[in-house]
Amino acid sequence: MPLSSGERRPANAERRELMASARPNGWRNPDPVETYDLLVVGGGPAGLAAAKAAIGRGAKVALIERRLLGGVSLLTGSVPSKSIVRTSRLYADMRNAERFGVEAPSGIEANFAAAMERLRRLQARISKYHSADRLRLAGIDLYFGAARFAGLDSIVVEGATLSFRKALIATGAVGRRPVGIPGLELSGYYTSEDVFDLTECPRRLLMIGGGPLGCELAQAFSRLGAHVVIAQNDAQFLPEEERDAAQLLSESLARDGVEIHLNSTVVAVRTTMTGEKLVDLVSDDNRTTIAVDHIAVGVGRIPNVEGLGLEEAGVACDPTSGIRVDDFLRTTNRKIYAAGDVCLARKFTHAAEASGRLAVANALFDGKTRWSSLTIPWCTYTDPEIAHVGLYVSEARERSIPVKTVTVLMHDTDRAMIDGEEEGFVKIHLREGTDEILGATIVASHAGEMINEITLAIAARIGLSTLATVIHSYPTQASAIKAAADAFAKTLVEPSPVRDICRPEWPTD
Ligand SMILES: Cc1cc2nc3c(=O)[nH]c(=O)nc-3n(C[C@H](O)[C@H](O)[C@H](O)COP(=O)(O)OP(=O)(O)OC[C@H]3O[C@@H](n4cnc5c(N)ncnc54)[C@H](O)[C@@H]3O)c2cc1C
């Protein structure tokens, strides 16, 4: 059930600025050309990257956006969530200022409304980089309206029929709504669609779901002053991540005051006369009831294909995994490609952008790049952050690849000690008997930055022994990667007698 309009985002200068970029008032859709080389449906990261790549190489391009340019990433995803993560991290650091020898003034308080205003300022600012005017100036025909396929090579938008040589579906995904929990719909709950519209920090919040969204928001809201309870119907948070990484995250959430219920399923919600929500949780045979003021839900995302007319276009789609694509991102209609959340298992902004560009190269310019050949890292922006690239050990084992893992604790890294950010580790998985990096997991305060070095190494086929020769500036947390590489390189050195090392012609002093 949607929340009351009183709790929604107020119209303000930032909102107007955002709209001026993302959907200008009085926008007039262009007159269609006879046939577009590329017709892109969806103006999120995948669609924008694709349209820009195609126009940059001389194609005639149209882009159709139903709502606002920027998609989930700008409006309800990466940008707003990382904005409140930043504020909450700063606030947590300030409360710990004494550890660093700083007398924090008493009575530091987070100003939630001001933090949300900052978030909206950031959205307005970032929206300018792909504004409607910029797209028009670049030569892209921009249409606002809901697109629907009218056949194998045409689309209707706002009454106009557009023909295409190639099309790209980049319509993203929407939050999955939990079903079968009596009382939940009636009680009302937030999703990522509206949680960033809050102007007051909830006093008591239940977060249903312990994936990246649930964990990031639970920690951020807890740090900003809410009493947060998180319920996850699995034995660990971030079920896809390695167990020791998830364990460190649990400990960190607990330290931040988050009340953790793992292996717990929400089975019923009752709303009292005062508006309080009583939530029943079941874990094994135990039933617990908790009382909260608000509920937020982050239980996965499903492809956004409603009303697209995929059948008319001959495009096959699975309700859970999304539009069916081959390794070149081609759908079951050879003229139509898909990119981003609507077809990818890993739903990230950078993956959406990369897939948009790859689809354009394959569709229009005889590219033959396989999606599976790309190296895509990802990160959950909790504190510490949890980043991964390449294979997990379990995946390597499934493929019968023998694995050797090199681990360095952040605790043993000078800069992590200096920064007071010692939690975590760098784990690099190698093909046993070689220095080929198969994958890595980094848990560290800035793991999202650190993982890029390993991503580069994997993408450029640089082995771990070469990373050992790369000089890292001191002191940096990324030195933990160099330390892992050094530890590995040491295992390759054959011990030799001292007299062979100190040959007589060498200077002795
Ligand atoms: C809370 C949250 C936090 C996140 N944090 C991160 C993060 O830190 N890092 C990260 O990499 N990723 C993050 N993500 C994921 C990231 O936002 C998405 O992976 C990314 O936005 C996907 O881009 P996309 O272009 O595939 O789809 P979208 O961004 O969903 O864009 C699709 C666009 O298509 C439009 N559309 C849909 N149907 C039609 C139609 N019929 N006609 C015309 N237009 C249509 C929509 O209006 C929308 O603008 C987060 C997501 C959430 C929800």
Side-chain angles (χ1 to χ4, degrees):
M1 190 184 79
L3 291 149
S4 70
S5 58
E7 287 167 297
R8 286 182 176 276
R9 173 186 298 165
N12 55 20
E14 285 79 30
R15 180 76 182 160
R16 282 195 296 277
E17 211 179 318
L18 170 75
M19 293 303 285
S21 301
R23 188 165 186 149
N25 239 338
W27 181 266
R28 194 179 157 271
N29 283 345
D31 297 324
V33 300
E34 198 178 316
T35 306
Y36 285 102
D37 295 323
L38 181 71
L39 211 167
V40 179
V41 184
L48 288 166
K52 288 179 193 170
I55 203 87
R57 293 179 67 173
K60 185 66 203 159
V61 181
L63 179 107
I64 308 175
E65 169 52 50
R66 180 167 71 179
R67 261 182 85 213
L68 305 180
L69 292 171
V72 165
S73 185
L74 173 70
L75 301 163
T76 57
S78 329
V79 173
S81 59
K82 265 72 276 178
S83 171
I84 69 155
V85 162
R86 174 70 183 102
T87 301
S88 69
R89 206 184 251 221
L90 174 66
Y91 186 46
D93 279 349
M94 286 171 79
R95 279 178 307 184
N96 281 327
E98 269 179 31
R99 278 178 56 212
F100 298 88
V102 175
E103 268 316 309
S106 57
I108 304 174
E109 263 190 45
N111 182 339
F112 190 84
M116 295 316 240
E117 272 169 32
R118 173 176 183 271
L119 174 166
R120 286 188 258 290
R121 276 199 302 281
L122 288 169
Q123 285 176 315
R125 193 168 151 207
I126 293 171
S127 69
K128 296 200 170 97
Y129 292 96
H130 37 66
S131 69
D133 284 338
R134 274 201 185 192
L135 297 184
R136 181 164 48 189
L137 280 175
I140 296 168
D141 276 3
L142 174 62
Y143 296 81
F144 283 106
R148 186 183 170 86
F149 285 96
L152 297 178
D153 55 9
S154 62
I155 280 184
V156 173
V157 56
E158 296 288 309
T161 302
L162 316 186
S163 302
F164 58 82
R165 271 190 260 287
K166 293 285 163 61
L168 178 76
I169 304 174
T171 50
V174 287
R176 189 194 300 275
R177 299 194 91 86
V179 287
I181 304 177
L184 180 63
E185 282 297 316
L186 201 64
S187 79
Y189 56 89
Y190 288 98
T191 66
S192 58
E193 285 283 305
D194 48 19
V195 75
F196 302 109
D197 292 349
L198 279 167
T199 49
E200 261 179 48
C201 188
R203 197 167 66 85
R204 296 172 303 175
L205 174 74
L206 168 67
M207 185 75 230
I208 303 178
L213 163 66
C215 292
E216 286 179 6
L217 287 186
Q219 188 177 48
F221 277 109
S222 176
R223 287 178 161 195
L224 290 171
H227 175 73
V228 180
V229 182
I230 184 165
Q232 158 80 332
N233 63 0
D234 196 286
Q236 70 170 55
F237 293 122
L238 311 181
E240 291 194 358
E241 297 301 337
E242 284 164 7
R243 204 177 311 153
D244 43 4
Q247 180 58 33
L248 279 181
L249 174 57
S250 277
E251 289 163 17
S252 169
L253 291 179
R255 262 199 310 280
D256 273 310
V258 176
E259 186 182 320
I260 293 172
H261 292 259
L262 286 170
N263 271 326
S264 298
T265 309
V266 174
V267 292
V269 180
R270 280 158 289 140
T271 308
T272 66
M273 299 290 281
T274 59
E276 187 178 57
K277 298 169 204 314
L278 302 175
V279 183
D280 293 338
L281 294 172
V282 169
S283 167
D284 297 326
D285 287 339
N286 296 327
R287 197 177 178 107
T288 334
T289 301
I290 55 158
V292 292
D293 306 304
H294 292 288
I295 298 173
V297 165
V299 291
R301 301 185 62 72
I302 51 169
N304 190 11
V305 291
E306 217 180 283
L308 262 181
L310 293 180
E311 311 74 35
E312 283 90 325
V315 173
C317 181
D318 177 274
T320 313
S321 55
I323 291 187
R324 204 194 306 161
V325 286
D326 63 14
D327 209 12
F328 301 99
L329 301 181
R330 238 175 351 192
T331 70
T332 44
N333 175 339
R334 292 307 196 213
K335 289 183 164 194
I336 303 178
Y337 286 65
D341 283 9
V342 76
C343 63
L344 300 180
R346 305 243 178 241
K347 302 196 187 317
F348 301 105
T349 297
H350 50 285
E353 290 177 341
S355 63
R357 288 188 206 106
L358 181 141
V360 164
N362 286 348
L364 296 184
F365 304 105
D366 281 342
K368 290 208 170 39
T369 310
R370 290 178 179 274
W371 176 245
S372 58
S373 72
L374 302 195
T375 308
I376 311 261
W378 53 84
C379 182
T380 299
Y381 296 90
T382 43
D383 186 10
E385 295 176 352
I386 299 186
H388 182 85
V389 66
L391 292 184
Y392 291 103
V393 174
S394 56
E395 287 174 323
R397 290 211 178 110
E398 275 163 27
R399 297 185 202 176
S400 307
I401 304 174
V403 180
K404 180 183 166 60
T405 299
V406 188
T407 305
V408 165
L409 300 180
M410 294 311 292
H411 177 75
D412 294 326
T413 308
D414 293 4
R415 182 57 188 269
M417 292 184 223
I418 293 165
D419 288 343
E421 296 172 342
E422 296 181 39
E423 246 181 313
F425 54 76
V426 168
K427 260 189 175 189
I428 303 178
H429 307 308
L430 303 170
R431 186 185 292 270
E432 186 150 33
T434 74
D435 76 341
E436 181 192 341
I437 302 172
L438 297 171
T441 292
I442 301 182
V443 181
S445 246
H446 306 285
E449 306 287 344
M450 290 164 67
I451 201 74
N452 296 324
E453 182 176 348
I454 310 280
T455 308
L456 171 66
I458 296 177
R461 297 179 192 280
I462 295 170
L464 193 58
S465 9
T466 306
L467 280 192
T469 67
V470 174
I471 297 168
H472 287 61
S473 51
Y474 178 87
T476 52
Q477 295 200 16
S479 304
I481 295 172
K482 161 93 166 126
D486 285 343
F488 169 74
K490 240 188 238 168
T491 65
L492 303 179
V493 175
E494 297 276 331
S496 39
V498 173
R499 70 171 173 277
D500 289 349
I501 299 170
C502 299
R503 298 216 310 267
E505 67 270 23
W506 286 19
T508 47
D509 54 352

